[in-house]
Amino acid sequence: MEKYFSRKNDLFLDIGNLHQEDVQYGYSTGRLAILEKSILDKNAYRELIIANNTEETLRLLENKHGFKTKNHNTQVSWEDILNKEFISVHDLIYGLAPVKEIFDIFFFQYSFHNLKVRLKEKLAGHKIDTPLFIIGPVLLEESSPVLREIIIKIEQVFYKERRFQDIDCILDEEYFNFLSRVADKYKIPVIESLIKTWIDLANIKLFFRFKTLQRDKNNLSRFLFSGGNFKQDFYINTYHLRTDVLKRETKNIFYADLFLTGIKCLENETSMDELEKSCDRFILQRFSETKHIVFGIEPMIRYLLHKENEMRMLRMIFVGKENSISNNEIEEKIAGYYV
Amino acid sequence: MKKLVGFLLIGMVLFLFTVTFVKAQETTGVPAQTESVKPESGGVSGITLAVIGAIITIVFSGFGASKGISIAAAPAAGIMSENPDMFGKLLIMVALPGTQGIYGFVTGFLVFLKVGIIGGTLQPVSLNQGIQILAICAFQSFIELTSAIYQGQVAAYGIVMTGKKPEASMKGVIMAVLVETYAVLGLLAGILGIWFGIRF
Amino acid sequence: MLADVSLTRMNLMKMKKRYAIALRGHKLLKDKQDELMRKFMELLEEIKSYRQEVENSLEKVHKQFFWAQGVMSKEFLEEAIMVPQVSLNLTTSQEQVFNIQTPKLDFHIEGDIYSYGFLFTSQQLDLALDGYKNIFPKLLHLSEIEKRAELLASEIEQTRRRVNALEYILIPELKQTIKYISMRLAELELSNQIRLMKIKDIVRKH
């Protein structure tokens, strides 16, 4: 809603507050309104969890939720099912999107995974059997001078210390640069704020992870991402603070809840699981506030994010089932992901 | 596209002002026998203005209606591609913005009837009356145009709501009909003004 | 043994000496067996509790890793641990316990186990890897003491076989031989005496 208020609103020039580019999303909104209903809810997950074994869970998925679990009458592994489902979501989104390039921002992570694997194999000097993604925009250094520069930079850094982590470090930073480049090109406020939020959440997670790993400040500054709403200095300056001081310092900031969750995890010395869940939930919640928007990119983003979340939850259920972890424990583990 | 519509509307208003200005000059210039100005006497005649008014109403209302339908049809098409059974429920909401086009056409037709272009003899329309007709037509067309687009939006919201909850389709229709009220009032004002308000 | 023994007094003496040695050896071996057994039981007790502990923590770590698998997709997980930067230096030596050569493992882990990017990985993976890192020394120690127990068991087996051989074969046989020789000797003496008496009688008659 805010985006309509923030825009220039001229009665004659802008009849009906509608922008041509937003009207293009009408069709996708209608279609996703139906598809959104098939996203699994809390009860569906519970049903899947209390199923006796993996086979029964698969059968439930096929019969009740319309997942394709068979290929020519032979059962496929759950990983393939989830992959296939996500690829179909990818195809749907790219099919519906009026401007396809905008949605690259959701799939760059897969391209960067492939790029990382390729680079690591090249620099390690031998083939390492690692699965690749078949989705995501294609990144080829032959066609992109930006990418070529990045790879040259990576090779320079790598040959200095032969540390493979540097590859990840540089590419993660460049990942956000790629996203920001798309956002700058199209100047859609939602996308811009989404990317900023992503960067902030990544930094917050990193902040607390490094606290549990007890790394020093210099190490943190090497990994922090720039371009978020909060400057890197904020994290570096508050890094050494004790938990109670940190709690007081971060009481009034935008991400106070997340910081509070993280501090609680630190104090109880539990895993940062809760924080990671809260971060995922944070974005989903922000997008569930956009339910009333019909003409815009938000319904598509919302659908995509929910679908990603669904994949993650299903994966956790299957992992739990396969390793015969008790139902209660699985339920407890995925409880934080409901929105 | 919207810019074009905006400029046209602004242009229309400016045109009205100039016409009034010309009229005022004429009345001050030649005080006698201005009431029965004949078309051959040069300048803008009443009947021309009336025809311009009628065409403006038909064109803009038609434009607004089609725009409104196209806005509402997009999500409806999306829903129907997943669930074709919804057609019956969605059709009425898609069709609602279309009524504005009919209203505009009715007014335009009435103008033609009134000045005698259709059926009967040409009426002696004075410049003053021409301006009155043009003004009524312009403002009604403005109402139809904007209300059709707004109604298209409301219908689109209703359509998406129906997609999520099929049982709520009537609520969506009612909301869209609320916008329709003002289009009907515009039509009513137009009919009253042209048919009963202007006498030759 | 009975067959090829010559019935001499010297042999008897020899047998008696062997018998005494066998008895003493048996007692010593028995003591050794008992001691070994006691040690073995102690070690077994230790292994049992240690194994329980290691298995429990291994299960916990495995579970952590499963959840890491759940949170991150397989592709991202495998990419993260694609090129490990940790190296393990393991040196083996031998240690004498109860004149048994038992292996001894010395090792140290070098490098950063978190050698991956932090953006697409979950903290669950950190925890899992940390858990594996902590459990690795324990696993090595477990294998060390289990090997020791195995060697001890085979030593006990051997000792017991010796004890049994002494107890059920050598000692009874020696006993029997001694009895046989002494009986035969007594018999010989008796017949000798009778012969002498007979000769005396004959001599007196003449």
Side-chain angles (χ1 to χ4, degrees):
Chain A
M1 203 63 181
E2 64 199 63
K3 83 176 198 189
Y4 292 122
F5 288 130
S6 64
R7 277 187 184 166
K8 203 166 62 192
N9 213 340
D10 189 325
L11 183 66
F12 285 116
L13 297 180
D14 198 13
I15 289 172
N17 298 349
L18 276 183
H19 287 251
Q20 192 62 33
E21 63 263 33
D22 288 338
V23 180
Q24 292 173 341
Y25 288 101
Y27 176 77
S28 63
T29 309
R31 195 147 167 205
L32 294 180
I34 298 284
L35 289 177
E36 227 174 26
K37 287 197 289 188
S38 65
I39 289 180
L40 305 184
D41 61 354
K42 207 170 177 174
N43 291 330
Y45 288 123
R46 189 161 297 152
E47 249 176 35
L48 291 176
I49 291 172
I50 54 178
N52 287 328
N53 46 32
T54 320
E55 284 79 48
E56 203 171 312
T57 312
L58 281 174
R59 207 161 34 241
L60 260 177
L61 263 188
E62 175 162 33
N63 296 342
K64 264 190 117 171
H65 307 295
F67 278 70
K68 287 191 196 71
T69 64
K70 289 201 172 81
N71 186 15
H72 302 298
N73 282 330
T74 50
Q75 191 72 45
V76 231
S77 76
W78 58 266
E79 274 167 350
D80 289 342
I81 293 166
L82 295 189
N83 279 345
K84 207 174 265 179
E85 177 71 14
F86 196 62
I87 289 168
S88 75
V89 171
H90 164 268
D91 293 346
L92 175 77
I93 291 291
Y94 273 92
L96 287 176
V99 188
K100 314 223 180 299
E101 209 185 333
I102 297 174
F103 285 90
D104 283 354
I105 65 162
F106 294 96
F107 296 100
F108 262 132
Q109 44 179 315
Y110 308 113
S111 316
F112 269 77
H113 163 84
N114 293 354
L115 186 65
K116 274 184 192 175
V117 172
R118 213 169 67 214
L119 275 178
K120 280 185 180 178
E121 272 184 352
K122 187 176 156 197
L123 295 178
H126 55 96
K127 187 137 181 57
I128 304 163
D129 198 22
T130 312
L132 294 171
F133 286 107
I134 58 167
I135 48 176
V138 181
L139 294 176
L140 283 177
E141 56 257 53
E142 289 86 34
S143 55
S144 156
V146 183
L147 196 64
R148 212 176 307 145
E149 264 171 42
I150 293 169
I151 290 175
I152 290 169
K153 185 175 147 201
I154 286 174
E155 283 176 354
Q156 277 171 354
V157 174
F158 177 76
Y159 284 121
K160 236 178 262 169
E161 292 192 47
R162 298 199 71 84
R163 205 164 37 182
F164 282 91
Q165 200 175 27
D166 289 335
I167 303 173
D168 293 307
C169 191
I170 294 169
L171 279 182
D172 288 350
E173 181 77 44
E174 289 299 333
Y175 166 72
F176 282 128
N177 289 346
F178 265 71
L179 299 195
S180 309
R181 218 164 284 142
V182 176
D184 288 345
K185 191 166 162 193
Y186 291 98
K187 299 229 178 301
I188 300 173
V190 207
I191 298 283
E192 281 170 353
S193 84
L194 178 66
I195 291 172
K196 281 208 162 131
T197 316
W198 270 342
I199 296 176
D200 287 338
L201 295 185
N203 280 341
I204 291 172
K205 280 193 254 182
L206 200 67
F207 179 81
F208 282 107
R209 252 172 112 172
F210 271 52
K211 260 182 171 306
T212 47
L213 292 179
Q214 291 167 344
R215 297 283 179 95
D216 59 3
K217 219 188 266 185
N218 302 335
N219 235 322
L220 179 71
S221 58
R222 195 162 71 94
F223 282 98
L224 281 173
F225 304 106
S226 57
N229 292 321
F230 284 24
K231 294 270 160 315
Q232 284 142 299
D233 295 345
F234 169 76
Y235 302 100
I236 295 170
N237 292 338
T238 49
Y239 188 65
H240 62 281
L241 296 179
R242 277 183 299 127
T243 47
D244 48 334
V245 185
L246 189 63
K247 207 184 276 178
R248 208 170 49 236
E249 286 283 308
T250 57
K251 202 167 61 189
N252 295 322
I253 63 168
F254 184 58
Y255 300 105
D257 285 349
L258 294 179
F259 268 95
L260 203 63
T261 319
I263 291 167
K264 227 176 255 169
C265 290
L266 271 186
E267 278 172 349
N268 301 338
E269 293 185 349
T270 51
S271 73
M272 286 292 149
D273 197 23
E274 206 49 54
L275 177 70
E276 286 176 1
K277 280 180 195 169
S278 306
C279 287
D280 290 334
R281 216 167 39 213
F282 184 80
I283 292 204
L284 284 174
Q285 264 163 358
R286 284 202 62 196
F287 272 91
S288 50
E289 286 163 15
T290 63
K291 266 197 174 129
H292 52 273
I293 291 180
V294 171
F295 300 104
I297 200 168
E298 287 91 340
M300 286 180 86
I301 299 178
R302 195 172 67 231
Y303 179 75
L304 190 55
L305 292 175
H306 271 106
K307 212 66 194 170
E308 274 180 3
N309 196 38
E310 185 187 88
M311 293 298 117
R312 194 183 301 119
M313 282 166 85
L314 284 180
R315 194 162 48 229
M316 290 179 86
I317 291 175
F318 278 121
V319 166
K321 282 272 149 211
E322 209 160 59
N323 298 305
S324 44
I325 291 168
S326 73
N327 292 350
N328 284 341
E329 208 171 323
I330 300 176
E331 201 158 333
E332 207 176 284
K333 204 75 186 176
I334 68 166
Y337 286 110
Y338 302 130
V339 178
Chain B
M1 197 53 152
K2 286 183 304 268
K3 275 189 183 163
L4 182 71
V5 177
F7 283 131
L8 276 175
L9 278 171
I10 292 169
M12 206 166 69
V13 174
L14 284 178
F15 178 68
L16 273 174
F17 276 121
T18 36
V19 168
T20 332
F21 187 64
V22 169
K23 169 78 176 64
Q25 272 188 337
E26 273 178 16
T27 41
T28 47
V30 195
Q33 38 150 251
T34 40
E35 280 309 301
S36 55
V37 181
K38 291 285 168 289
E40 315 78 76
S41 72
V44 191
S45 74
I47 199 135
T48 321
L49 289 178
V51 169
I52 289 174
I55 289 170
I56 281 176
T57 337
I58 294 170
V59 166
F60 282 101
S61 306
F63 172 74
S66 49
K67 180 84 186 155
I69 288 179
S70 82
I71 291 171
I79 287 174
M80 282 188 287
S81 70
E82 287 298 326
N83 189 356
D85 305 336
M86 299 284 270
F87 180 71
K89 280 182 174 159
L90 300 181
L91 178 66
I92 184 162
M93 274 186 273
V94 177
L96 265 178
T99 51
Q100 271 84 333
I102 300 169
Y103 300 160
F105 178 73
V106 166
T107 313
F109 192 75
L110 267 183
V111 171
F112 285 140
L113 221 56
K114 183 81 185 176
V115 300
I117 290 178
I118 299 170
T121 51
L122 270 180
Q123 299 291 331
V125 187
S126 70
L127 194 61
N128 237 340
Q129 283 166 332
I131 291 169
Q132 284 164 10
I133 290 176
L134 179 58
I136 291 171
C137 286
F139 287 110
Q140 197 205 329
S141 72
F142 179 70
I143 286 186
E144 305 295 359
L145 171 66
T146 47
S147 75
I149 292 174
Y150 279 121
Q151 197 179 25
Q153 279 180 58
V154 175
Y157 292 129
I159 284 166
V160 172
M161 185 179 74
T162 312
K164 285 176 183 162
K165 292 193 179 70
E167 67 276 7
S169 73
M170 272 330 280
K171 291 172 190 157
V173 174
I174 289 168
M175 287 196 300
V177 166
L178 286 180
V179 184
E180 186 78 13
T181 321
Y182 300 96
V184 174
L185 288 182
L187 172 70
L188 206 62
I191 292 173
L192 288 175
I194 289 166
W195 202 246
F196 302 108
I198 291 166
R199 300 236 170 76
F200 304 115
Chain C
M1 192 179 263
L2 281 177
D4 54 351
V5 70
S6 54
L7 302 169
T8 55
R9 210 162 275 277
M10 206 174 98
N11 237 349
L12 183 65
M13 294 278 285
K14 219 194 241 164
M15 285 296 156
K16 276 193 173 160
K17 213 179 263 171
R18 270 184 78 187
Y19 180 65
I21 290 173
L23 270 184
R24 211 169 58 227
H26 174 248
K27 189 179 170 294
L28 272 175
L29 277 175
K30 190 90 183 162
D31 282 354
K32 184 186 174 188
Q33 187 195 351
D34 287 350
E35 180 62 17
L36 277 177
M37 211 58 196
R38 202 180 58 78
K39 274 273 166 201
F40 183 67
M41 289 323 262
E42 265 176 20
L43 195 61
L44 223 57
E45 220 31 57
E46 191 194 336
I47 286 172
K48 211 171 148 194
S49 63
Y50 201 74
R51 196 175 180 93
Q52 195 68 41
E53 189 194 321
V54 169
E55 269 176 7
N56 281 349
S57 41
L58 200 61
E59 198 187 324
K60 228 177 267 168
V61 174
H62 274 328
K63 205 173 257 178
Q64 196 76 55
F65 193 69
F66 292 150
W67 288 133
Q69 260 177 314
V71 179
M72 298 159 60
S73 77
K74 190 177 145 201
E75 287 86 351
F76 283 126
L77 186 73
E78 291 201 11
E79 187 269 319
I81 50 182
M82 195 172 152
V83 199
Q85 298 267 281
V86 182
S87 64
L88 176 80
N89 280 336
L90 186 73
T91 50
T92 51
S93 55
Q94 287 191 329
E95 199 186 25
Q96 193 104 350
V97 179
F98 280 108
N99 78 6
I100 313 163
Q101 299 285 338
T102 54
K104 194 167 161 45
L105 303 173
D106 279 311
F107 63 94
H108 55 278
I109 297 172
E110 268 176 359
D112 185 10
I113 51 168
Y114 313 112
S115 63
Y116 41 80
F118 290 101
L119 182 57
F120 300 116
T121 54
S122 159
Q123 200 238 356
Q124 308 278 321
L125 184 63
D126 295 3
L127 291 179
L129 289 186
D130 191 45
Y132 279 126
K133 189 190 173 187
N134 289 338
I135 210 162
F136 200 75
K138 286 186 184 170
L139 273 175
L140 279 178
H141 183 61
L142 184 67
S143 70
E144 205 178 272
I145 57 175
E146 284 199 336
K147 185 70 196 169
R148 188 180 296 168
E150 200 181 297
L151 289 171
L152 209 56
S154 73
E155 180 71 17
I156 287 173
E157 179 81 23
Q158 223 168 15
T159 316
R160 188 164 44 208
R161 229 182 297 130
R162 276 185 201 143
V163 171
N164 284 351
L166 280 176
E167 193 173 342
Y168 296 110
I169 299 168
L170 194 66
I171 294 177
E173 264 182 15
L174 280 174
K175 234 179 183 168
Q176 220 176 349
T177 316
I178 291 167
K179 203 174 154 194
Y180 173 70
I181 295 176
S182 52
M183 257 165 70
R184 287 302 294 267
L185 281 178
E187 231 169 69
L188 276 179
E189 201 161 335
L190 199 65
S191 71
N192 225 6
Q193 200 143 25
I194 288 175
R195 201 184 300 133
L196 277 176
M197 281 166 75
K198 207 83 177 155
I199 291 170
K200 243 180 185 174
D201 253 12
I202 294 168
V203 170
R204 205 175 292 148
K205 272 180 191 168
H206 287 292

